[in-house]
């Protein structure tokens, strides 16, 4: 059986094509504005009118529901605004201190393989964390990136505790991706208590600062961009669009 670990991420590299644009927005971007902007960008990329884009944002505190969300997992529906979205996955939280990366790539130019793309995004997070001496791991039965917590009590089955540090959820339109991933840098972890994150109740949620790393968002952005070049084969000479 082919697992996500077995997939060849390098086949997603895009040889001889225009560089990927990068955009980093200052302040908090309203979720509905971000979705509208992604819709415009994805349409332009699909029509060949724009280069691919990675957009880095932070959102105000919100919950989002993916296409597999179970309403029973929304524990506190009145705590923060709740948005239904077309991405895959279940409920997740976004808020200040969390880096959200919206990844808009044309898989027709790379590899038309959804599983390979998800695996590559997981590897992107794992490589980014590795640059900060954090060991992130994937799990075949759980999408996202996880860290082992030997400092916490064992789980009821006797296995080591694990916390989720990054979430993934994507959507494709005409083989152009949108939505993407989020990495917990320094969010208020108590905000996750209003949902069952990604429908998984047996595990916790952590962040880089919670793990004892005094990092800034800028540090994460630079490592994320470097890791992206390694995983997706894009040059580090790409320009960064003006924040907005």
């Amino acid at each position: 059986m082919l697992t996500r670990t077995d997939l060849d991420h390098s086949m997603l590299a895009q040889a001889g094509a225009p560089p990927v644009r990068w955009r980093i927005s200052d302040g908090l971007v309203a979720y509905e504005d971000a979705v509208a902007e992604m819709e415009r960008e994805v349409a332009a990329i699909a029509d060949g009118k724009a280069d691919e884009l990675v957009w880095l944002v932070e959102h105000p505190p919100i919950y989002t529901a993916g296409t597999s969300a179970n309403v029973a997992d929304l524990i506190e529906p009145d705590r923060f605004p709740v948005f239904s979205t077309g991405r895959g996955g279940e409920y997740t939280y976004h808020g200040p201190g969390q880096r959200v990366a919206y990844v808009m790539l044309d898989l027709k130019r790379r590899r038309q393989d959804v599983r390979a793309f998800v695996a590559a995004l997981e590897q992107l997070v794992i490589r980014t964390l590795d640059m900060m001496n954090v060991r992130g791991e994937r799990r075949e039965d759980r999408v996202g990136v996880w860290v082992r917590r030997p400092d916490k009590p064992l789980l009821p089955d006797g296995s080591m505790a694990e916390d989720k540090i990054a979430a993934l959820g994507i959507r494709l339109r005409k083989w152009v991706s949108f939505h993407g991933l989020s990495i917990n840098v320094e969010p208020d972890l108590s905000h996750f208590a209003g949902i069952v994150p990604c429908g998984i109740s047996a595990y916790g949620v952590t962040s880089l600062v919670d793990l004892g790393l005094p990092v800034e968002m800028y540090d994460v952005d630079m490592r994320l961009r470097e890791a992206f070049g390694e995983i997706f084969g894009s040059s580090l000479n790409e320009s960064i669009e003006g924040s907005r």
Side-chain angles (χ1 to χ4, degrees):
M1 177 179 175
L2 185 67
T3 67
R4 294 203 305 272
T5 307
D6 297 326
L7 294 168
D8 181 6
H9 315 308
S10 65
M11 293 183 68
L12 285 158
Q14 182 183 16
V20 177
R21 293 175 292 145
W22 281 75
R23 180 184 303 161
I24 304 176
S25 288
D26 293 328
L28 302 180
V29 178
Y31 186 74
E32 55 268 49
D33 292 343
V35 171
E37 178 67 7
M38 277 193 288
E39 293 278 357
R40 288 189 289 269
E41 289 285 358
V42 166
I45 293 167
D47 290 343
K49 298 177 180 178
D51 293 332
E52 297 169 307
L53 172 66
V54 178
W55 183 20
L56 306 183
V57 306
E58 288 179 82
H59 289 306
I62 59 168
Y63 296 131
T64 65
T67 54
S68 302
N70 182 342
V71 67
D73 291 337
L74 182 58
I75 300 171
E76 300 180 35
D78 298 324
R79 186 169 186 177
F80 298 124
V82 181
F83 294 91
S84 295
T85 179
R87 63 160 175 81
E90 303 183 52
Y91 282 104
T92 193
Y93 165 78
H94 293 314
Q98 182 190 71
R99 174 52 83 211
V100 177
Y102 290 129
V103 182
M104 289 162 265
L105 300 183
D106 187 350
L107 300 191
K108 295 191 302 296
R109 309 179 196 174
R110 296 174 178 271
R111 178 181 176 186
Q112 292 176 252
D113 187 324
V114 177
R115 294 177 65 209
F117 180 57
V118 171
L121 290 178
E122 289 175 331
Q123 189 59 31
L124 171 60
V125 174
I126 289 169
R127 181 66 185 119
T128 301
L129 296 176
D130 183 63
M131 292 177 183
M132 294 177 283
N133 298 313
V134 173
R135 182 180 178 182
E137 300 178 292
R138 61 169 58 86
R139 294 290 178 262
E140 289 302 321
D141 60 339
R142 295 178 253 136
V143 175
V145 176
W146 303 79
V147 293
R148 298 173 185 263
R149 298 301 303 268
D151 55 315
K152 289 189 172 184
L154 297 177
L155 296 176
D157 64 0
S159 61
M160 184 181 296
E162 296 183 353
D163 286 344
K164 192 170 191 175
I165 195 166
L168 284 83
I170 65 165
R171 184 177 181 183
L172 296 177
R173 180 176 297 152
K174 296 181 179 179
W175 286 103
V176 177
S177 66
F178 56 126
H179 299 281
L181 61 90
S182 60
I183 300 175
N184 296 332
V185 181
E186 193 180 7
D188 185 337
L189 295 179
S190 70
H191 290 178
F192 285 88
I195 57 172
V196 178
C198 301
I200 302 172
S201 59
Y203 303 92
V205 180
T206 191
S207 69
L208 290 170
V209 171
D210 181 53
L211 293 173
L213 276 75
V215 297
E216 301 289 338
M217 195 68 73
Y218 173 84
D219 301 318
V220 177
D221 291 348
M222 293 301 100
R223 288 165 174 82
L224 184 65
R225 193 161 174 244
E226 182 177 349
F228 185 91
E230 295 179 7
I231 302 300
F232 290 95
S234 296
S235 168
L236 288 181
N237 292 325
E238 303 149 354
S239 61
I240 298 179
E241 296 182 1
S243 301
R244 66 187 198 186

